Amino acid sequence: MLFCLCSALSQYTIEGYVYESGNRGYIKNAEIAILPAGSENAVGFATTDTNGKYSIAITSPGDYMLIIIKEPYFESIESFSIDNGSAKKLFLKHEIERNPGYIFE
């Protein structure tokens, strides 16, 4: 009988999208990182697609920080939690604000 340890691991999917404040549109190519709270080691990375969407899989429940970096916008840091009773998929939306001094086309 074969036993796969990987089947015992729960996997949670974090999906979401990033958009500019004032509902000015989706942000493509934003860099996303997920870190356990209090840690400096990321457990997942993604880059948003042309529609501002991303998807990251993580394996452990806990408290996390999600960091969004994209020039010319302010860096965004958000917190979220996953517990053993959470759904396997979490959907988030992120509004980021443009740095002042940039000219709109």
Side-chain angles (χ1 to χ4, degrees), residues 33-45:
I34 294 181
L35 297 82
S39 174
E40 295 182 7
N41 299 320
V43 295
F45 295 98

Side-chain angles (χ1 to χ4, degrees), residues 14-19 26-30 32 46-56 91-92 94:
I14 312 303
E15 290 185 354
Y17 65 93
V18 179
Y19 64 99
Y26 298 113
I27 307 296
K28 67 179 179 177
N29 298 323
I32 312 288
T47 302
T48 57
D49 65 12
T50 57
N51 295 317
K53 295 181 182 178
Y54 68 89
S55 180
I56 300 173
F91 189 79
L92 305 171
H94 314 281

Side-chain angles (χ1 to χ4, degrees), residues 82-96:
I82 297 175
D83 60 35
N84 285 328
S86 294
K88 296 296 180 186
K89 188 178 283 190
L90 179 64
F91 189 79
L92 305 171
K93 56 184 180 178
H94 314 281
E95 180 178 16
I96 60 174

Side-chain angles (χ1 to χ4, degrees), residues 51-101:
N51 295 317
K53 295 181 182 178
Y54 68 89
S55 180
I56 300 173
I58 57 175
T59 58
S60 302
D63 296 325
Y64 291 93
M65 295 183 312
L66 185 140
I67 301 172
I68 303 169
I69 299 173
K70 171 70 175 168
E71 289 294 329
Y73 300 91
F74 288 109
E75 180 178 297
S76 176
I77 300 174
E78 301 177 23
S79 299
F80 68 95
S81 295
I82 297 175
D83 60 35
N84 285 328
S86 294
K88 296 296 180 186
K89 188 178 283 190
L90 179 64
F91 189 79
L92 305 171
K93 56 184 180 178
H94 314 281
E95 180 178 16
I96 60 174
E97 190 175 331
R98 186 180 288 264
N99 281 321

